[in-house]
């Protein structure tokens, strides 16, 4: 490793550098996404003597024993120097021994994670819709029960999210709702049966998280966001709902493009409930 490089904790002044670093490897993080990441997680990276950011890794601690990792990047000009291992180890060091730390791996990152003790425990089904491919199906009948998600619904939404994600991520949801361009709930009186958010990014929308009582509810909520825009969109569906995704998502122009592995440190089991239909994003879980 180049000893002139400094491994630092990153913060708001580093947002533009993180955007540039992600672009260098073909990723489309924007300032808003990274701002949310910095607000709820810890981000680390190597800088050159001139201040150029050449690596990154983020960890989002949702509980003392549960976290999700992402945005593990090494600039192409600085690979094969041990930076990825060093910055990932630093991010892991935020959590206590025995914690469940999960991540969604890229093909390039898989060998590194395996060497560091991560094991594959599942997969995610990644679907993408190109710009303009909207309106492939009539919007499902929502019977007037799909309503806009409001700020004062956060606590009720969080209670449903805890059941689906397996841990309280209230602080993340507060920031995510602020960032969202669209948010919907399916309600029956005072009871919430599901919610979904749409995040407008630099290159495409992210449809997620989607949390629902059953397939029908998930379809109603997904349709509201998928048909609200002609922009490109992507959604990451846990393996437990692969059949639902294969049946429903092509109706709105989505096509499956990848099946990246979900990994946990030393194979710790994840506690996803059956209600999680889509991740918030691969960096957040």
């Amino acid at each position: 490793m180049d000893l002139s490089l400094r491994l630092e904790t990153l913060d708001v002044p580093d947002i533009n550098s993180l955007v540039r670093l992600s672009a260098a490897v073909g990723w489309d993080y924007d300032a808003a996404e990274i701002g949310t990441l910095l607000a709820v997680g810890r981000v680390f990276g190597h800088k050159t003597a001139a201040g150029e950011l050449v690596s990154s890794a983020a960890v989002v601690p949702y509980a003392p024993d549960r976290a999700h990792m992402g945005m593990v990047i090494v600039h192409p000009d600085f690979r094969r120097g041990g930076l990825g291992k060093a910055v990932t180890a630093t991010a892991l060091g935020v959590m206590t021994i025995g914690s469940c730390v999960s991540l969604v791996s890229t093909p390039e990152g898989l060998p590194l994670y395996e060497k560091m003790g991560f094991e594959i425990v599942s997969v995610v089904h990644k679907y993408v819709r190109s710009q303009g491919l909207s309106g492939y199906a009539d919007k499902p009948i929502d019977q007037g029960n799909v309503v806009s998600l409001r700020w004062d619904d956060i606590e009720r939404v969080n209670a449903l999210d805890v059941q689906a994600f397996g841990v309280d991520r209230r602080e993340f949801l507060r920031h995510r709702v602020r960032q969202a361009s669209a948010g919907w709930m399916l309600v029956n009186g005072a009871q919430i049966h599901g919610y979904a958010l749409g995040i407008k990014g630099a290159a495409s929308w992210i449809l997620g998280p989607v949390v629902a009582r059953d397939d029908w509810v998930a379809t109603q909520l997904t349709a509201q966001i998928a048909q609200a825009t002609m922009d490109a969109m992507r959604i990451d569906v846990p393996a437990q709902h692969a059949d639902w995704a294969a049946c429903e998502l092509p109706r709105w122009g989505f096509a499956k493009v990848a099946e990246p592995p979900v990994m946990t440190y030393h194979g710790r089991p994840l506690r996803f409930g059956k209600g999680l239909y889509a991740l918030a994003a691969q960096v957040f879980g």
Side-chain angles (χ1 to χ4, degrees), residues 6-11 14 18 21 37-38 41-47 53-60 69-73 83 86-95:
R6 307 184 310 274
L7 181 53
E8 301 182 2
T9 300
L10 307 181
D11 212 331
D14 299 297
L18 284 162
L21 179 62
L37 182 59
L38 288 167
R42 302 274 304 277
V43 186
F44 305 91
H46 288 91
K47 292 182 181 179
L53 184 67
V54 297
S55 79
S56 69
V59 60
V60 182
M69 287 187 63
M71 206 176 185
V72 179
I73 303 172
L83 300 188
V87 74
T88 302
T90 300
L92 279 172
V94 168
M95 302 302 296

Side-chain angles (χ1 to χ4, degrees), residues 115-138:
K115 288 178 183 177
M116 296 190 69
F118 282 88
E119 299 175 22
I120 297 174
V121 295
S122 187
V123 297
V124 167
H125 298 264
K126 180 179 180 179
Y127 282 77
V128 170
R129 183 187 74 187
S130 300
Q131 186 174 10
L133 293 179
S134 183
Y136 269 60
D138 293 333

Side-chain angles (χ1 to χ4, degrees), residues 96-150:
T96 58
I97 296 174
S99 296
C100 177
V101 182
S102 56
L103 58 80
V104 180
S105 177
T106 61
E108 297 80 11
L110 186 60
L112 168 66
Y113 301 136
E114 289 179 330
K115 288 178 183 177
M116 296 190 69
F118 282 88
E119 299 175 22
I120 297 174
V121 295
S122 187
V123 297
V124 167
H125 298 264
K126 180 179 180 179
Y127 282 77
V128 170
R129 183 187 74 187
S130 300
Q131 186 174 10
L133 293 179
S134 183
Y136 269 60
D138 293 333
K139 186 181 296 184
I141 300 172
D142 62 41
Q143 299 179 349
N145 293 331
V146 176
V147 299
S148 181
L149 193 158
R150 302 169 302 178

